[in-house]
Structures are given as C-alpha cells and as structure tokens.
Amino acid sequence: MTEGLLEGKVAIVTGASSGIGRATALRIAEEGGKVVVADVLADKGKETVEMVVENGGTGFFVETDVSDSEDVREMVRKTVDEYNRLDCAFNNAGIFGDMKPVAKYDEEDFSRILDVNIKGVFLCMKYEIQQMLEQDGGSIVNTSSVWGLVGGEDSSAYIASKHGVIGVTKAAALENADTNIRVNAVCPGVVETAMVEAIPDEISEALIAKEPIGRAGKPEEIAEAVVWLLSDRASFVTGETHVVDGGFTIS
C-alpha cells in the first residue's frame, strides 16, 4: 500500500469550518496526516472533525480567533500537547469585508480585515515557527489570493491584506531557509466558497466570466496544491506564490 504524502505528520488548518480549509483538512487526513481544525465557528469546525474521523482520519477541534495572540499560542500548545509536535500548518482563515471604494471605506472595518487576514497569518506563523525550530523543521502554507497579485475595485482592505500575506510569506521563507522550515503561499482564483457566494451575483458572475477555464474552482482543487506544498514532494520549494486560478491572472 502506498504511503500518504503526509503520513504520520501533524497539521494545523485554520479557517477549516468550510470551503478551502475544510477540503484541505480532509485531504491532509486522507494523506495520512493528523489534523487540528481551528476556527472561530465551533459547530462547523467540529463538523469538519467529524468528517475527518468518519473518513478514517484523526483530528480534533480548537476554537481559535487568529487575530488574538493568546488564542493562537493556545492553538499551537494544544496541538503539541496532543501530538508532541507540529509538522505542517495551513494558515487559511480570512474574511472579505464590505465592498466600498477607498473614500467610503470604514476605518474600523479596514482594521478588522487586516487583523484577521494579515495579522492572523503573522501570529500563526510566529508561534508555528517557534515550535518548528525546536524540532527538525516543518512546512507552512498561507492563503493569499489572486487579489494579492493584482488590483481591483471596492475591496481595498481585502486586496491590501492579501498582498501583505505574500510579503510576510517571502520574509519568513528567507528567515528560515536554513532551518528546514519552508514557507509558501497559495493564491486561489474564484472558488466555490461561502465567501464568493456572499458577493452580489452580478459581481461573482463577472469574475467567473473572466476565468479562461470557464468556471469557478472547487475547494478540493486548491486543497490538492496545498497538500503538495506541505509535503516533502515540495522539498525544494520555499517563498513561492503558487497560483491556482484557472488562468485568471494571465488573461
């Protein structure tokens, strides 16, 4: 029997209550990894764990607000208490926010999005890397977006945060290049998630129409890329911005 890509490895997945996070948690378990499901949505997060277990995997849930340093520290501590180590992390938690031009954007809303989307990634990496430095290394993937590579209207906070994810990913990758800790980012295009479903239909339809592949992506398609980046198959890949967008950014 072929060994899974993440056989015996311990992985944290934030934002794992649905969408890309849930799909990735399930794939990690399918590839032999133990999964720590982290999210602010307890019921949905526990549902993800139930799905992991029903499919023969192993995991548990930790209620975590990634913008809160104590929550993130506790997330890592509980992982190590349960499994004695942390090998992989998919820092995926994120929010979209209001669609307004810069001149009308609320300052508190702007700060809230940056707190979750970029400060949250920073905090997760801070405590994940501290643990990985005590071991023999590890692998981290952060969720950016195609909007971390291009501009757009009426989404300045989200776009700024996703550009920031790419920046902090590259910085952490360089800082840890000689420590056997790899850090990469994945940039999904338009994907069938609750976040995209919340966008007005005319906007989401226009975005999908710009996809050369002719459709929105599926969470499972992003999960495949994340699992590969987390695995030893990607052992020479760090600081990479891995685009999975159906050709969106080249059209």
Side-chain angles (χ1 to χ4, degrees):
M1 183 175 179
T2 303
E3 190 174 84
L5 288 179
L6 299 175
E7 194 70 38
K9 294 186 182 294
V10 176
I12 289 174
V13 180
T14 70
S17 65
S18 65
I20 294 169
R22 172 175 283 181
T24 303
L26 291 170
R27 281 295 293 128
I28 289 170
E30 288 171 1
E31 291 293 344
K34 299 178 176 68
V35 187
V36 179
V37 171
D39 207 294
V40 291
L41 302 176
D43 289 345
K44 289 288 188 180
K46 292 174 182 177
E47 189 177 89
T48 298
V49 174
E50 290 172 3
M51 294 170 71
V52 165
V53 173
E54 286 171 1
N55 289 335
T58 302
F60 69 94
F61 173 74
V62 181
E63 188 170 350
T64 307
D65 176 354
V66 296
S67 69
D68 185 303
S69 61
E70 288 305 312
D71 269 21
V72 175
R73 191 200 304 261
E74 188 72 357
M75 173 186 75
V76 174
R77 186 191 68 78
K78 287 182 176 179
T79 299
V80 177
D81 283 351
E82 182 70 21
Y83 297 128
N84 298 315
R85 59 185 298 110
L86 172 63
D87 302 291
C88 306
F90 179 36
N91 300 319
N92 169 71
I95 56 177
F96 188 75
D98 292 335
M99 297 194 68
K100 295 178 181 177
V102 169
K104 295 182 179 179
Y105 217 98
D106 182 80
E107 183 178 346
E108 290 185 2
D109 288 344
F110 195 98
S111 295
R112 181 175 63 90
I113 292 165
L114 266 61
D115 275 350
V116 175
N117 292 5
I118 180 60
K119 179 185 170 186
V121 168
F122 154 72
L123 288 173
C124 286
M125 285 203 297
K126 176 178 179 175
Y127 294 110
E128 291 158 359
I129 290 171
Q130 286 178 7
Q131 174 59 34
M132 290 174 178
L133 286 170
E134 296 181 7
Q135 306 169 176
D136 51 358
S139 181
I140 296 171
V141 175
N142 301 318
T143 298
S144 179
S145 167
V146 290
W147 302 113
L149 301 168
V150 300
E153 298 177 349
D154 297 337
S155 304
S156 57
Y158 184 78
I159 290 169
S161 70
K162 293 305 183 179
H163 274 74
V165 168
I166 291 174
V168 75
T169 296
K170 291 180 177 180
L174 283 172
E175 292 166 2
N176 292 281
D178 61 350
T179 67
N180 198 34
I181 298 172
R182 297 183 298 103
V183 187
N184 293 287
V186 65
C187 294
V190 184
V191 180
E192 295 173 354
T193 63
M195 184 181 292
V196 170
E197 290 172 1
I199 297 173
D201 289 345
E202 64 273 16
I203 296 176
S204 61
E205 289 169 5
L207 290 173
I208 292 171
K210 292 177 66 176
E211 290 278 9
I213 206 167
R215 61 173 176 83
K218 299 181 185 301
E220 293 77 12
E221 292 174 307
I222 312 304
E224 291 295 336
V226 175
V227 166
W228 180 77
L229 287 169
L230 289 174
S231 79
D232 293 338
R233 295 276 182 89
S235 57
F236 200 55
V237 181
T238 194
E240 176 67 17
T241 303
H242 195 83
V243 183
V244 190
D245 70 345
F248 187 95
T249 52
I250 61 169
S251 62

